[in-house]
Amino acid sequence: MSKDEQDKTSGVDPRYRAPALEKGLDILELLAAEPRPMTLTTIVNSLGRSHGELFRMVQVLEHRGYIEQDGSNDGYRLTDRLFSLGMQQPRTKNLIEVALPVMRELAASVCQSCHLALHTRGEMVVVARMESGEQLGFSVRVGYRRPLMQAASGAVLYAFQPDDVRQRWEAFFDPKPDADELAAFRAHADGIRERHVELTPSKFVAGVTDISAPVMRGGIAAAALTVPYLKKLQASPSAKDTALLVRQAADRISDQLVEGDSRV
């Protein structure tokens, strides 16, 4: 079913439509959901449009730097331009500016890297990281994202939200969890809310324990501060001690955000 047909069946008011803009947004959302580059033909078929409708739109998006062509298969993929635009928001910039010095101290004290993650459409996305000074360690790159239900930082972000926000976020979950899975995730999040810290084996990297705590702003989690803890042979804080230091660092960032907001 084409986009126009979907709009007719869903009762979308034509007064609030901008067809050219919608085509561009459809392309961006499609590419954002695909891990591999997509050719123009694949994009056309996926969106139920014609080559004539989308050819110029793809050219404009590429010219403006929102998408780029992959040399190996002539497919298109997203660039980091949208991510960069989001990072320019004053509240996000202020959060990162406040967090980085604290993250530097945390990385040095626990001999591990750390990163800061935000929520976006049912996923967590890493917006800042700090490497440790150790020769051996594990870190997560900026821009890394995972569904909330699959990441410690995602569970922390979800845990410290009011019920109405949780419900909005759940609408973005992909794949959709069944009733039992969702109930278990909600209960786990409530436990995190009581502990104020998450400490759990990584679902993706053997030997790594994810330790995460909320950065609070206005009574809700604005971000999650996480250490992907790698057990080492040399003397270094235990996972339990690291969890305490992560929580204290997240609280320090939260306190500074409150102070910064009060001066605005």
Side-chain angles (χ1 to χ4, degrees):
M1 182 182 293
S2 69
K3 181 68 175 177
D4 291 334
E5 292 170 333
Q6 292 175 7
D7 288 346
K8 289 178 181 178
T9 59
S10 62
V12 174
D13 192 327
R15 293 177 299 172
Y16 301 106
R17 293 193 55 203
L21 176 60
E22 288 179 346
K23 293 173 190 175
L25 293 175
D26 287 344
I27 294 170
L28 294 176
E29 290 177 357
L30 176 65
L31 293 179
E34 288 293 327
R36 294 175 295 276
M38 301 181 71
T39 64
L40 177 59
T41 298
T42 306
I43 294 172
V44 166
N45 293 336
S46 298
L47 296 179
R49 302 280 189 177
S50 68
H51 274 79
E53 285 182 287
L54 298 187
F55 176 73
R56 291 294 299 276
M57 189 64 63
V58 167
Q59 283 190 319
V60 170
L61 289 173
E62 183 179 18
H63 176 70
R64 296 293 296 268
Y66 289 95
I67 65 176
E68 62 185 4
Q69 201 162 13
D70 184 270
S72 63
N73 67 352
D74 293 328
Y76 291 93
R77 61 189 175 201
L78 287 183
T79 66
D80 63 355
R81 180 163 173 75
L82 284 173
F83 180 77
S84 298
L85 289 175
M87 295 287 285
Q88 293 175 26
Q89 285 290 307
R91 288 173 70 88
T92 302
K93 288 178 67 177
N94 179 54
L95 169 62
I96 295 174
E97 289 169 356
V98 167
L100 284 176
V102 180
M103 292 170 64
R104 185 175 293 108
E105 293 181 18
L106 175 64
S109 63
V110 301
C111 305
Q112 309 271 350
S113 71
C114 61
H115 57 266
L116 195 70
L118 306 181
H119 165 264
T120 175
R121 296 181 65 83
E123 296 182 323
M124 52 72 64
V125 58
V126 175
V127 297
R129 74 172 180 181
M130 186 61 62
E131 300 282 358
S132 72
E134 300 293 306
Q135 294 293 320
L136 177 65
F138 179 81
S139 64
V140 177
R141 66 177 176 81
V142 172
Y144 176 83
R145 60 179 62 219
R146 284 288 177 186
L148 291 184
M149 293 183 66
Q150 298 179 17
S153 54
V156 167
L157 287 166
Y158 175 91
F160 293 87
Q161 305 297 328
D163 289 340
D164 60 328
V165 173
R166 285 188 177 190
Q167 291 174 7
R168 289 203 300 270
W169 288 11
E170 289 168 5
F172 291 113
F173 286 180
D174 185 21
K176 296 292 184 184
D178 61 33
D180 290 340
E181 291 172 332
L182 185 56
F185 180 67
R186 289 170 176 168
H188 180 71
D190 291 339
I192 295 173
R193 194 180 184 99
E194 292 180 5
R195 299 188 304 272
H196 219 82
V197 68
E198 170 73 315
L199 193 156
T200 183
S202 170
K203 291 182 172 64
F204 301 99
V205 183
V208 169
T209 299
D210 290 328
I211 303 173
S212 185
V215 173
M216 305 295 289
R217 174 189 261 152
I220 64 173
L225 177 63
T226 303
V227 167
Y229 181 87
L230 181 65
K231 187 174 182 179
K232 304 176 184 180
L233 294 178
Q234 75 264 29
S236 62
S238 66
K240 183 177 180 179
D241 290 340
T242 298
L244 176 60
L245 292 170
V246 171
R247 179 174 174 176
Q248 290 174 345
D251 289 344
R252 287 175 57 197
I253 297 171
S254 302
D255 291 342
Q256 292 183 59
L257 288 179
V258 172
E259 293 171 3
D261 290 345
S262 66
R263 291 194 297 266
V264 174

